[in-house]
Amino acid sequence: MDALSRDFFLFLSKNRGLNFMAKKWGKSIATGNIIGGIDFDSSIRHIKQLNQHGIQVTVDHLGEFVMDEQVARERTLECIRTIETIAAEKLQTQVSVKLTSLGLDISKDLVRTNMHEILEVASTHNILVTIDMENESRCEATLELFREFKKQYKHVGTVIQAYLYRSEADLDDLNELQPFIRLVKGAYKESAQVAHTEKEDIRENFKKLIRLQLESGNYTAIATHDDEMVKFTKEFVKEHGISKDQFEFQMLYGMRTKTQQDLKDEGYNVRIYMPYGDDWYGYFMRRLAEKPSNISFALKGLTQK
């Protein structure tokens, strides 16, 4: 049933007609519930509300798989403007970027140039930029570029996906860089040749990655809505005497808000992933595919204030 639900929502995420309708008519429903807003400025008030409750944020301008160099340039400038606004507004906020939105599928030289500009500005303001992980076919190129950037810039991190077979080896390979890593389940449809497909196998690998990253002493973001993963992390850090300053829990904006605040009240670092932009539909469908139980949380977020 989980596999059928996952495939269904991934199918919906690629439906151009539904995506068009969502952009045209659904923005007012999504804004403040699923996304911060259609632009960064309209997201600021929602970020400030979270910051006032002691919860930090990472923002992401929605959109990926850009094949136009001018669009990739526009995405780069938008990211730079966002970083500068975060600094000016003194927001407790970081930034996430997808390399395909900055030109990865056009050329490595283009995405390298765009990322260097972003990281130069981010370094000036001491704001972390996390390079999101996309589908498996782009994983090696993403990690190769991350290694390159990490050797030059302090304020850059990346993402490792628990459903990929290669992830343990990737963590081991990156360890010498003492990286900031966001650990996630993974939200793209991948074949059984490269990824675990059974829920319990993914959970076990997720736990293994949490152990490895925390034992390495590197700062870790555990991005999950799964109560079992949260419980495992709490028990593991307590058993091994790992400081709460070495990791954070990350959850999605508009989902599990009570759990987010409960974790903060228990003394854990909590960060909310808040996307913005009009390309919200595909993102939302992938989140439902990633964890079908998100449906109930999403509906509550859309219907309750």
Side-chain angles (χ1 to χ4, degrees):
M1 183 60 70
D2 282 345
L4 288 174
S5 177
R6 178 183 175 84
D7 289 346
F8 174 68
F9 285 113
L10 287 173
F11 170 76
L12 290 180
S13 74
K14 299 175 183 177
N15 187 292
R16 293 184 178 180
L18 292 175
N19 201 358
F20 173 79
M21 288 190 290
K23 284 184 177 181
K24 189 171 183 180
W25 292 297
K27 289 181 288 188
S28 61
I29 298 173
T31 297
N33 295 306
I34 298 167
I35 60 174
I38 59 172
D39 54 31
F40 183 69
D41 288 345
S42 61
S43 304
I44 291 175
R45 66 186 182 96
H46 302 297
I47 294 172
K48 287 184 175 180
Q49 288 172 355
L50 290 167
N51 287 171
Q52 286 169 3
H53 287 87
I55 294 176
Q56 301 182 76
V57 176
T58 187
V59 295
D60 182 7
H61 185 206
L62 291 170
E64 54 196 320
F65 309 129
V66 169
M67 292 303 297
D68 184 299
E69 188 169 335
Q70 180 58 37
V71 174
R73 183 62 188 162
E74 291 169 0
R75 294 279 182 171
T76 301
L77 295 176
E78 166 64 20
C79 188
I80 290 171
R81 192 184 76 85
T82 295
I83 292 169
E84 291 174 337
T85 304
I86 289 169
E89 293 283 342
K90 296 181 172 57
L91 303 174
Q92 296 299 307
T93 304
Q94 299 173 353
V95 174
S96 287
V97 296
K98 291 180 175 61
L99 292 187
T100 59
S101 75
L102 304 179
L104 178 63
D105 291 347
I106 301 171
S107 79
K108 277 191 177 179
D109 285 341
L110 175 63
V111 75
R112 185 180 286 113
T113 296
N114 287 337
M115 272 299 296
H116 276 301
E117 288 191 32
I118 290 169
L119 291 172
E120 284 290 338
V121 176
S123 295
T124 298
H125 297 294
N126 297 317
I127 293 172
L128 184 78
V129 177
T130 299
I131 299 172
D132 279 336
M133 192 58 67
E134 302 178 69
N135 55 12
E136 191 275 340
S137 65
R138 296 172 174 87
C139 184
E140 185 59 39
T142 299
L143 291 180
E144 180 182 324
L145 286 165
F146 170 69
R147 292 184 195 101
E148 178 182 320
F149 300 141
K150 189 66 175 71
K151 291 175 182 177
Q152 185 172 350
Y153 300 99
K154 176 182 177 182
H155 295 88
V156 60
T158 194
V159 176
I160 295 292
Q161 298 165 315
Y163 66 175
L164 294 182
Y165 300 141
R166 61 176 290 163
S167 292
E168 182 178 354
D170 286 335
L171 265 190
D172 183 63
D173 183 59
L174 293 173
N175 187 51
E176 65 176 352
L177 298 174
Q178 297 181 306
F180 165 87
I181 297 290
R182 179 197 299 153
L183 298 176
V184 303
K185 175 183 176 182
Y188 293 86
K189 185 174 176 60
E190 303 288 1
S191 75
Q193 293 181 319
V194 299
H196 298 286
T197 57
E198 296 297 325
K199 179 169 64 176
E200 286 308 312
D201 291 337
I202 297 171
R203 271 181 169 167
E204 289 307 308
N205 203 44
F206 206 155
K207 291 176 183 177
K208 182 187 294 185
L209 299 179
I210 291 171
R211 284 196 299 268
L212 289 171
Q213 182 66 1
L214 289 175
E215 287 174 342
S216 73
N218 300 322
Y219 192 84
T220 307
I222 299 150
T224 183
H225 288 184
D226 190 332
D227 289 329
E228 184 175 326
M229 293 299 104
V230 172
K231 180 181 178 183
F232 170 81
T233 302
K234 288 181 176 181
E235 292 175 348
F236 182 82
V237 299
K238 183 177 181 180
E239 180 182 348
H240 291 81
I242 294 172
S243 170
K244 289 179 180 178
D245 292 333
Q246 192 188 317
F247 69 98
E248 65 188 42
F249 288 109
Q250 290 192 3
M251 293 186 177
L252 302 175
Y253 180 61
M255 300 184 190
R256 306 216 65 178
T257 54
K258 184 179 184 304
T259 301
Q260 296 164 12
Q261 192 60 54
D262 287 347
L263 287 169
K264 179 59 186 176
D265 292 344
E266 292 170 22
Y268 294 100
N269 295 314
V270 178
R271 185 177 300 278
I272 302 307
Y273 179 87
M274 180 187 289
Y276 70 94
D278 62 4
D279 194 16
W280 64 272
Y281 172 78
Y283 153 80
F284 185 48
M285 289 299 110
R286 285 198 298 274
R287 297 294 79 75
L288 297 184
E290 185 177 5
K291 188 172 177 59
S293 62
N294 282 342
I295 298 170
S296 62
F297 302 127
L299 290 175
K300 288 178 183 177
L302 290 172
T303 57
Q304 297 177 4
K305 293 295 183 182

